[in-house]
Amino acid sequence: MLGISASIFNEAGTVVRDWLKNPLNSSFFFWYFMPALAFVLLQLVIIGPLFGQPVPQFLAEKPEKIQGTVDFIFWILKGSFVLLILMPLLLGMLLSALSARVFRLYQGTLPLARPLFQPWLRRNRRRNVKLYANLRTLRRQYLFLVSQGLWLESIDGEENARKVTASERDTLIDKLKQDTQLLHEELESNPSAPDLPVDIDRVGATDLANTLALAEEYSFERYAMDAAVFWPRISAEYEAEKPGGLTASFATMNGLLNLSLLIYLSALEFAIVGFALVAGWIPIGATQHASILWLTNNQQAVASLTLLLVLLLAVIGYGAYRAAVASARAVSNAMRTAFDYYRDDVLKRFNLKMPNDLEEERVLWLKLAAFIRRGESFYYPSEYRSGS
């Protein structure tokens, strides 16, 4: 399920390198540095003082006279203002480097967090069976009937295949086409149906995972193109005409996930601090700030404020995640379009021509994928060479 995703990370996971080339890179500044700055301010201004740390002075006392650039730089470095540059910068670079793992976390495939997502994965697979079990059966029957002249029947829970005559084969093909059409119309008439891939093995635990899985499934269902093999080649053609378009969309999605993660971490911090205040783990004398002294002496108010703040942050974090899912849908639509429009260009790179028949095209892509993956010359679809 991560074929396309991993390929895009190879291309879009270059935010730090881009920043090193251009420190004013808007993607890094907006999606990583600014959220990291807000997170650092939270630690310095609120979380730290709650545990007795002094509220930092962001700027040292202004000197009476600044005589030059060197004096100005030393004035800046004397104060805590430097923390608001170096710490967010380092944190932003770390978050950018971990973007692939954050992405897998929200997909529910990160090894450490995977068990937590199993209930949602099982729920989505049950939905998949309810929606698409009949469609998968019809497709399998059609494949065997067209390719081998065999009719698959289920008898007492066991699948049996029998050979059919030419006339019976044509009749059964027409019936399968009609049944499939009716089933598609039924599925499309249900606007509340979840967006899930037809292949149950591609089903993920989250909406983010399923949205991108649909893009992977699209290319294989329509053209028998293995997305993990052909996406890097399709994207090269796509980006040549629309440089940075898909990469920018993916960076937006990834940045929203980063923002959501930091908001959830902040909510968790506030929950821990609120519990510590109510439990009396933070001594009253730990700080001299009047507002914090009031908090330590009003436990019921602390509990209410903490619960309200945690719920508010959780809602905002979820909103950032839903925005990331919306960006993933835009990415998914761009992927589908790229496969539709640029697959012929990929064939030209391999000195191959597009067949006139769709079924032949499927065979071509299967052979070419085997050639690319395995490297044996006999897999190469030489019958489709240009000029042959």
Side-chain angles (χ1 to χ4, degrees):
M1 187 176 66
L2 296 177
I4 284 182
S5 306
S7 299
I8 293 182
F9 264 114
N10 292 335
E11 302 167 17
T14 57
V15 179
V16 174
R17 292 201 301 270
D18 290 343
W19 180 83
L20 293 174
K21 294 177 183 178
N22 177 17
L24 298 179
N25 180 275
S26 60
S27 179
F28 179 84
F29 179 80
F30 188 75
W31 293 119
Y32 293 95
F33 180 80
M34 292 302 293
L37 174 59
F39 190 75
V40 168
L41 279 173
L42 174 68
Q43 312 309 310
L44 295 176
V45 178
I46 299 179
I47 302 299
L50 282 171
F51 285 93
Q53 298 298 320
V55 177
Q57 299 295 324
F58 295 125
L59 290 173
E61 184 178 355
K62 184 176 180 180
E64 296 181 0
K65 186 177 182 181
I66 297 178
Q67 296 181 350
T69 304
V70 175
D71 290 339
F72 177 76
I73 292 175
F74 276 106
W75 168 60
I76 291 294
L77 294 178
K78 285 180 182 178
S80 302
F81 182 74
V82 70
L83 298 177
L84 303 184
I85 298 177
L86 293 182
M87 290 180 63
L89 179 60
L90 293 175
L91 179 58
M93 294 179 68
L94 176 64
L95 290 170
S96 176
L98 296 176
S99 58
R101 288 174 175 80
V102 173
F103 181 75
R104 294 188 64 188
L105 171 65
Y106 277 90
Q107 281 192 312
T109 58
L110 193 67
L112 292 177
R114 187 178 297 169
L116 300 176
F117 289 89
Q118 289 306 304
W120 287 275
L121 179 60
R122 288 192 291 268
R123 180 199 61 180
N124 286 338
R125 286 183 171 174
R126 288 194 298 268
R127 289 177 172 178
N128 174 277
V129 171
K130 183 178 180 180
L131 285 171
Y132 298 125
N134 292 337
L135 180 60
R136 285 196 294 268
T137 299
L138 291 173
R139 286 179 172 178
R140 182 172 171 80
Q141 287 177 321
Y142 183 83
L143 174 63
F144 275 80
L145 191 59
V146 171
S147 61
Q148 303 178 37
L150 297 176
W151 176 245
L152 300 181
E153 295 178 302
S154 180
I155 301 176
D156 296 331
E158 293 186 2
E159 189 178 66
N160 295 319
R162 65 178 178 87
K163 195 74 174 178
V164 298
T165 62
S167 60
E168 187 181 5
R169 174 177 174 271
D170 293 338
T171 302
L172 289 173
I173 287 176
D174 290 338
K175 183 179 184 303
L176 284 176
K177 289 180 179 179
Q178 294 175 6
D179 291 345
T180 304
Q181 174 67 18
L182 290 174
L183 184 55
H184 278 299
E185 291 176 355
E186 180 182 347
L187 291 171
E188 291 167 1
S189 65
N190 184 6
S192 61
D195 290 332
L196 297 172
V198 176
D199 184 357
I200 195 169
D201 292 329
R202 296 182 188 271
V203 173
T206 67
D207 288 344
L208 180 72
N210 290 317
T211 297
L212 293 176
L214 285 168
E216 280 196 15
E217 186 178 63
Y218 179 88
S219 62
F220 194 81
E221 283 195 339
R222 272 65 175 179
Y223 312 113
M225 295 178 69
D226 187 335
V229 173
F230 290 110
W231 174 248
R233 294 158 177 85
I234 289 286
S235 64
E237 303 297 330
Y238 179 88
E239 293 292 338
E241 290 194 16
K242 299 180 178 180
L246 190 57
T247 301
S249 298
F250 192 86
T252 299
M253 178 190 70
N254 209 39
L256 287 166
L257 293 178
N258 173 66
L259 182 62
S260 176
L261 176 66
L262 289 178
I263 294 173
Y264 279 137
L265 288 177
S266 300
L268 180 61
E269 277 192 317
F270 276 111
I272 294 173
V273 169
F275 181 79
L277 285 171
V278 172
W281 295 347
I282 300 178
I284 296 177
T287 177
Q288 299 301 318
H289 296 288
S291 59
I292 298 177
L293 287 173
W294 179 85
L295 288 175
T296 55
N297 286 291
N298 294 271
Q299 294 184 353
Q300 186 174 0
V302 169
S304 300
L305 288 173
T306 300
L307 179 60
L308 181 62
L309 186 57
V310 169
L311 290 176
L312 179 62
L313 288 174
V315 170
I316 297 174
Y318 183 73
Y321 165 71
R322 295 310 307 178
V325 173
S327 296
R329 290 194 180 96
V331 171
S332 180
N333 290 334
M335 290 176 182
R336 293 187 182 98
T337 303
F339 277 108
D340 290 336
Y341 289 179
Y342 298 102
R343 68 186 192 281
D344 188 40
D345 295 330
V346 173
L347 290 180
K348 292 177 182 177
R349 299 287 185 181
F350 286 93
N351 195 29
L352 297 171
K353 61 183 179 181
M354 180 69 72
N356 293 324
D357 182 73
L358 181 58
E359 296 303 326
E360 288 187 32
E361 182 184 343
R362 290 170 179 264
V363 173
L364 185 156
W365 289 115
L366 290 172
K367 289 185 175 181
L368 184 58
F371 170 73
I372 293 173
R373 286 197 307 267
R374 301 168 184 171
E376 306 297 340
S377 60
F378 56 79
Y379 288 117
Y380 183 79
S382 55
E383 65 271 27
Y384 298 104
R385 276 185 86 98
S386 297
S388 61

